[in-house]
């Protein structure tokens, strides 16, 4: 924080979100509307060496037509675990997110810092059956930076991300539904699942992480190289098991994640040139408790790679004030060992964007950002035939069909800035994002057509003070 080119700032922001369309991952929502509020501030403490940052976010939204997924919004890091059911559902979602960080320069060489993020989510599902889910994520980090000389600085950070969910399943149906019971399943792989789940579970995930960074400053440029290494464990716990001789941990998912980030900035009189390279490797293994044999049986593996490079040029006080180009490569391999069911895919994304700023008067300015992204599927292998069960019918085939679609995405942000008294500023903006298919899956059965698309709109008001 004390090395960033940031001055003191505070802002408050409100947004209205709306999106709708059929060209969407089958286990994501097809329609959303909601309200989002955020406020944040960064400032040095007078007569001290402290710099503090604090932020607060609140989201209240309604998500419709989420297929099968009864633990919506918690699947991360390649984990296969979630509850599912055949029926499409409606979710109400509330999110509260608080974060605070600080940096204290002990002397001319040593800086200590800390970060805390407290993020809570509450989901409830109202269509066909009742499912409630609460999720809590806490990320805590401590850091130390040592300035070797005017050019070189080394940093070390230790953190841990703790994540916990508590789900409640029930059999409350709308009046027009005559069925007496609901069938729930816990997904444990690609085609592997545990059926006849009567109640909800707890899930817990912990990810200790080590970050190392080297920062090099020379003349009007800087170079940052950062390595981040994390080991995670996720467990699903049966709340009904209370006897000591029984194993209440039904599943385990271990994973290793390595990230490498490289940033280069060159500061000129009239522009900033920023280059970045981001790479990530993730490998996970899932195990399910075998009650008869009293041991964990490994049944799922997942490996993914991601490499993204991007270049930006920011022009100061120019009509064309931003030009950006980026390329992103992703490769993911999944295997269910019970059925030899594999699901592998890789894609390439290329993106270009530009920004325009036009002064309308002494107190008003118009701005717009326009970007185009093309998503090209390089390869997709989906072999579900050994499993051939309800997972394949309800989930597997649809997900594979969606994953095999080439798309283009157009996004734009249009707004006006108004200068206020005391250097305050008011910003009004509308953001649009449009997704359209260019090439569908070559499979015999298609769940999507070329005339389907997805549109997202966000209207926002932001006050800098």
């Amino acid at each position: 924080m004390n090395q960033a080119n940031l001055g003191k700032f505070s802002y408050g922001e409100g947004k209205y979100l709306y999106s709708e369309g059929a060209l969407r991952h089958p286990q994501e929502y097809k329609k959303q509307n909601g309200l989002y509020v955020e406020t944040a501030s960064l400032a040095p403490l007078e007569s001290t060496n402290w710099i503090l940052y604090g932020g607060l976010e609140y989201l209240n939204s309604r998500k419709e037509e989420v297929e099968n997924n009864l633990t919506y919004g918690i699947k991360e890091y390649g984990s296969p675990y979630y509850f599912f059911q055949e029926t499409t559902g409606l979710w109400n979602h509330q999110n509260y997110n608080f974060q605070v960080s600080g940096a204290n320069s002990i002397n001319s060489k040593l800086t200590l810092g800390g970060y805390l993020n407290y993020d809570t989510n509450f989901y409830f599902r109202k269509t066909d059956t009742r499912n409630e889910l609460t999720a809590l994520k806490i990320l805590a980090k401590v850091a130390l930076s040592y300035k070797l000389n005017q050019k070189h600085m080394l940093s070390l950070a230790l953190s841990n991300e703790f994540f916990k969910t508590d789900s409640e399943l029930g059999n409350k149906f709308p009046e027009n539904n005559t069925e007496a019971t609901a069938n729930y399943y816990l997904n444990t792989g690609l085609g592997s699942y545990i059926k006849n789940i009567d109640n909800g579970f707890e899930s817990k995930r912990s990810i200790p992480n080590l970050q190392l960074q080297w920062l090099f400053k020379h003349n009007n440029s800087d170079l940052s190289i950062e390595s981040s290494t994390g080991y995670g464990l996720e467990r699903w716990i049966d709340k009904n098991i209370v006897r000591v001789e029984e194993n209440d941990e039904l599943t385990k998912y271990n994973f290793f994640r390595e990230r490498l980030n490289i940033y280069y900035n060159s500061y000129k009189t009239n522009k900033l040139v920023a280059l970045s390279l981001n790479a990530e490797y993730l490998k996970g293994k899932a195990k399910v408790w075998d009650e008869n044999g009293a041991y964990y049986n490994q049944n799922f593996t997942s490996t993914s790679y991601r490499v993204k490079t991007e270049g930006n040029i920011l022009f100061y006080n120019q009509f064309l004030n931003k030009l950006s180009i980026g390329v992103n490569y992703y490769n993911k391999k999944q295997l269910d060992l019970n059925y030899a069911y594999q699901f592998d895919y890789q894609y390439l994304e290329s993106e270009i964007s530009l920004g325009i700023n036009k002064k309308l008067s002494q107190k008003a300015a118009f701005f717009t950002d326009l970007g185009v992204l093309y998503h090209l599927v390089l390869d997709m292998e989906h072999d579900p035939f050994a499993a051939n069960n309800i997972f394949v019918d309800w989930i597997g085939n649809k997900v594979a069909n969606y994953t095999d679609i080439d798309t283009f995405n157009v996004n734009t942000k249009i707004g006006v800035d108004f200068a206020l008294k005391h250097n305050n500023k008011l910003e009004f903006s509308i953001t649009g994002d449009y997704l359209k298919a260019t090439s569908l899956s070559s499979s015999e059965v298609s769940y999507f057509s070329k005339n389907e698309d997805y549109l997202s709109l966000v209207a926002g008001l932001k006050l800098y003070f």
Side-chain angles (χ1 to χ4, degrees), residues 34-47:
L35 295 174
Y36 172 84
V37 179
E38 177 185 2
T39 183
S41 180
L42 180 143
L45 288 183
E46 295 184 4
S47 303

PDB file of all heavy atoms in Angstrom, residues 34-47:
ATOM      1  N   GLY A  34     -31.031  -7.087  -9.169  1.00  0.00           N
ATOM      2  CA  GLY A  34     -30.672  -6.834  -7.787  1.00  0.00           C
ATOM      3  C   GLY A  34     -30.054  -5.467  -7.585  1.00  0.00           C
ATOM      4  O   GLY A  34     -29.844  -4.695  -8.532  1.00  0.00           O
ATOM      5  N   LEU A  35     -29.746  -5.168  -6.333  1.00  0.00           N
ATOM      6  CA  LEU A  35     -29.148  -3.905  -5.928  1.00  0.00           C
ATOM      7  C   LEU A  35     -27.805  -4.163  -5.256  1.00  0.00           C
ATOM      8  O   LEU A  35     -27.651  -5.121  -4.479  1.00  0.00           O
ATOM      9  CB  LEU A  35     -30.065  -3.151  -4.955  1.00  0.00           C
ATOM     10  CG  LEU A  35     -31.405  -2.675  -5.517  1.00  0.00           C
ATOM     11  CD1 LEU A  35     -32.252  -2.086  -4.395  1.00  0.00           C
ATOM     12  CD2 LEU A  35     -31.204  -1.645  -6.628  1.00  0.00           C
ATOM     13  N   TYR A  36     -26.841  -3.292  -5.565  1.00  0.00           N
ATOM     14  CA  TYR A  36     -25.497  -3.421  -5.024  1.00  0.00           C
ATOM     15  C   TYR A  36     -25.044  -2.067  -4.490  1.00  0.00           C
ATOM     16  O   TYR A  36     -25.215  -1.040  -5.155  1.00  0.00           O
ATOM     17  CB  TYR A  36     -24.540  -3.902  -6.127  1.00  0.00           C
ATOM     18  CG  TYR A  36     -23.072  -3.884  -5.745  1.00  0.00           C
ATOM     19  CD1 TYR A  36     -22.506  -4.940  -5.045  1.00  0.00           C
ATOM     20  CD2 TYR A  36     -22.260  -2.806  -6.086  1.00  0.00           C
ATOM     21  CE1 TYR A  36     -21.157  -4.931  -4.709  1.00  0.00           C
ATOM     22  CE2 TYR A  36     -20.921  -2.780  -5.752  1.00  0.00           C
ATOM     23  CZ  TYR A  36     -20.375  -3.852  -5.065  1.00  0.00           C
ATOM     24  OH  TYR A  36     -19.045  -3.845  -4.723  1.00  0.00           O
ATOM     25  N   VAL A  37     -24.483  -2.062  -3.275  1.00  0.00           N
ATOM     26  CA  VAL A  37     -23.997  -0.831  -2.650  1.00  0.00           C
ATOM     27  C   VAL A  37     -22.581  -1.074  -2.146  1.00  0.00           C
ATOM     28  O   VAL A  37     -22.286  -2.132  -1.575  1.00  0.00           O
ATOM     29  CB  VAL A  37     -24.904  -0.396  -1.475  1.00  0.00           C
ATOM     30  CG1 VAL A  37     -24.369   0.866  -0.822  1.00  0.00           C
ATOM     31  CG2 VAL A  37     -26.339  -0.175  -1.948  1.00  0.00           C
ATOM     32  N   GLU A  38     -21.714  -0.088  -2.368  1.00  0.00           N
ATOM     33  CA  GLU A  38     -20.321  -0.222  -1.928  1.00  0.00           C
ATOM     34  C   GLU A  38     -19.787   1.132  -1.469  1.00  0.00           C
ATOM     35  O   GLU A  38     -20.119   2.173  -2.044  1.00  0.00           O
ATOM     36  CB  GLU A  38     -19.448  -0.744  -3.071  1.00  0.00           C
ATOM     37  CG  GLU A  38     -17.973  -0.846  -2.715  1.00  0.00           C
ATOM     38  CD  GLU A  38     -17.104  -1.257  -3.883  1.00  0.00           C
ATOM     39  OE1 GLU A  38     -17.651  -1.431  -4.994  1.00  0.00           O
ATOM     40  OE2 GLU A  38     -15.887  -1.402  -3.689  1.00  0.00           O
ATOM     41  N   THR A  39     -18.959   1.111  -0.449  1.00  0.00           N
ATOM     42  CA  THR A  39     -18.243   2.303  -0.023  1.00  0.00           C
ATOM     43  C   THR A  39     -16.835   1.889   0.399  1.00  0.00           C
ATOM     44  O   THR A  39     -16.629   0.787   0.918  1.00  0.00           O
ATOM     45  CB  THR A  39     -18.965   3.020   1.140  1.00  0.00           C
ATOM     46  OG1 THR A  39     -18.256   4.213   1.466  1.00  0.00           O
ATOM     47  CG2 THR A  39     -19.063   2.147   2.368  1.00  0.00           C
ATOM     48  N   ALA A  40     -15.861   2.760   0.138  1.00  0.00           N
ATOM     49  CA  ALA A  40     -14.475   2.443   0.465  1.00  0.00           C
ATOM     50  C   ALA A  40     -13.697   3.730   0.682  1.00  0.00           C
ATOM     51  O   ALA A  40     -14.073   4.807   0.193  1.00  0.00           O
ATOM     52  CB  ALA A  40     -13.830   1.618  -0.643  1.00  0.00           C
ATOM     53  N   SER A  41     -12.582   3.627   1.418  1.00  0.00           N
ATOM     54  CA  SER A  41     -11.768   4.792   1.711  1.00  0.00           C
ATOM     55  C   SER A  41     -10.330   4.365   1.983  1.00  0.00           C
ATOM     56  O   SER A  41     -10.084   3.318   2.593  1.00  0.00           O
ATOM     57  CB  SER A  41     -12.322   5.536   2.928  1.00  0.00           C
ATOM     58  OG  SER A  41     -11.547   6.672   3.224  1.00  0.00           O
ATOM     59  N   LEU A  42      -9.388   5.169   1.495  1.00  0.00           N
ATOM     60  CA  LEU A  42      -7.966   4.971   1.775  1.00  0.00           C
ATOM     61  C   LEU A  42      -7.390   6.299   2.246  1.00  0.00           C
ATOM     62  O   LEU A  42      -7.634   7.349   1.625  1.00  0.00           O
ATOM     63  CB  LEU A  42      -7.223   4.483   0.533  1.00  0.00           C
ATOM     64  CG  LEU A  42      -5.714   4.239   0.698  1.00  0.00           C
ATOM     65  CD1 LEU A  42      -5.277   3.016  -0.105  1.00  0.00           C
ATOM     66  CD2 LEU A  42      -4.895   5.459   0.252  1.00  0.00           C
ATOM     67  N   ALA A  43      -6.626   6.268   3.337  1.00  0.00           N
ATOM     68  CA  ALA A  43      -6.076   7.518   3.869  1.00  0.00           C
ATOM     69  C   ALA A  43      -4.920   7.231   4.816  1.00  0.00           C
ATOM     70  O   ALA A  43      -4.933   6.227   5.546  1.00  0.00           O
ATOM     71  CB  ALA A  43      -7.158   8.315   4.613  1.00  0.00           C
ATOM     72  N   PRO A  44      -3.908   8.093   4.831  1.00  0.00           N
ATOM     73  CA  PRO A  44      -2.850   8.001   5.845  1.00  0.00           C
ATOM     74  C   PRO A  44      -3.322   8.627   7.150  1.00  0.00           C
ATOM     75  O   PRO A  44      -4.102   9.583   7.150  1.00  0.00           O
ATOM     76  CB  PRO A  44      -1.706   8.818   5.225  1.00  0.00           C
ATOM     77  CG  PRO A  44      -2.392   9.810   4.334  1.00  0.00           C
ATOM     78  CD  PRO A  44      -3.643   9.129   3.827  1.00  0.00           C
ATOM     79  N   LEU A  45      -2.891   8.071   8.262  1.00  0.00           N
ATOM     80  CA  LEU A  45      -3.212   8.654   9.568  1.00  0.00           C
ATOM     81  C   LEU A  45      -2.224   9.774   9.876  1.00  0.00           C
ATOM     82  O   LEU A  45      -1.006   9.582   9.774  1.00  0.00           O
ATOM     83  CB  LEU A  45      -3.154   7.590  10.666  1.00  0.00           C
ATOM     84  CG  LEU A  45      -4.270   6.544  10.692  1.00  0.00           C
ATOM     85  CD1 LEU A  45      -4.087   5.619  11.889  1.00  0.00           C
ATOM     86  CD2 LEU A  45      -5.634   7.205  10.746  1.00  0.00           C
ATOM     87  N   GLU A  46      -2.741  10.914  10.219  1.00  0.00           N
ATOM     88  CA  GLU A  46      -1.889  12.068  10.479  1.00  0.00           C
ATOM     89  C   GLU A  46      -0.931  11.810  11.645  1.00  0.00           C
ATOM     90  O   GLU A  46      -1.280  11.168  12.633  1.00  0.00           O
ATOM     91  CB  GLU A  46      -2.738  13.297  10.779  1.00  0.00           C
ATOM     92  CG  GLU A  46      -3.577  13.765   9.592  1.00  0.00           C
ATOM     93  CD  GLU A  46      -4.340  15.039   9.902  1.00  0.00           C
ATOM     94  OE1 GLU A  46      -4.142  15.581  11.016  1.00  0.00           O
ATOM     95  OE2 GLU A  46      -5.117  15.479   9.042  1.00  0.00           O
ATOM     96  N   SER A  47       0.297  12.291  11.474  1.00  0.00           N
ATOM     97  CA  SER A  47       1.354  12.205  12.505  1.00  0.00           C
ATOM     98  C   SER A  47       1.753  10.767  12.810  1.00  0.00           C
ATOM     99  O   SER A  47       2.282  10.478  13.893  1.00  0.00           O
ATOM    100  CB  SER A  47       0.906  12.915  13.798  1.00  0.00           C
ATOM    101  OG  SER A  47       0.567  14.265  13.530  1.00  0.00           O
TER     102      SER A  47
END
